[in-house]
Amino acid sequence: MAAAKKPTTRCKITPPAPQPAPCPDCDGTGETRETVRVGTRKTRAIDDHQTALCLTCWGTGHATD
C-alpha cells in the first residue's frame, strides 16, 4: 500500500527591509571633498581636493534618525 501524500505548504515570503535614506551631506558616499587652500592666510585655492570621512553619518552613507 502506498504512503499517503502530505499536503504541501507555501513558503512565507518576507518583504525586503526598507532601504535607509542616504545622508544629505555626502549623498550616500560616506566621504566629503574639500578644496585644498594654500598660502599664508589660506586664501588661494588650487585644483587638488582632499577627501575625509563624513561627520554626519560617520562614513556609513545612511542618514541618522
Side-chain angles (χ1 to χ4, degrees):
M1 195 150 83
K5 286 188 176 181
K6 288 186 177 182
T8 58
T9 58
R10 293 184 180 223
C11 297
K12 293 183 181 179
I13 299 174
T14 58
Q19 295 291 331
C23 177
D25 292 343
C26 64
D27 297 324
T29 60
E31 292 183 346
T32 57
R33 289 180 65 179
E34 292 188 11
T35 304
V36 177
R37 296 187 176 272
V38 296
T40 307
R41 294 188 175 96
K42 308 287 185 200
T43 56
R44 191 179 68 190
I46 60 175
D47 292 334
D48 295 329
H49 296 283
Q50 182 177 9
T51 60
L53 185 71
C54 178
L55 296 177
T56 306
C57 64
W58 291 97
T60 61
H62 304 293
T64 57
D65 293 333

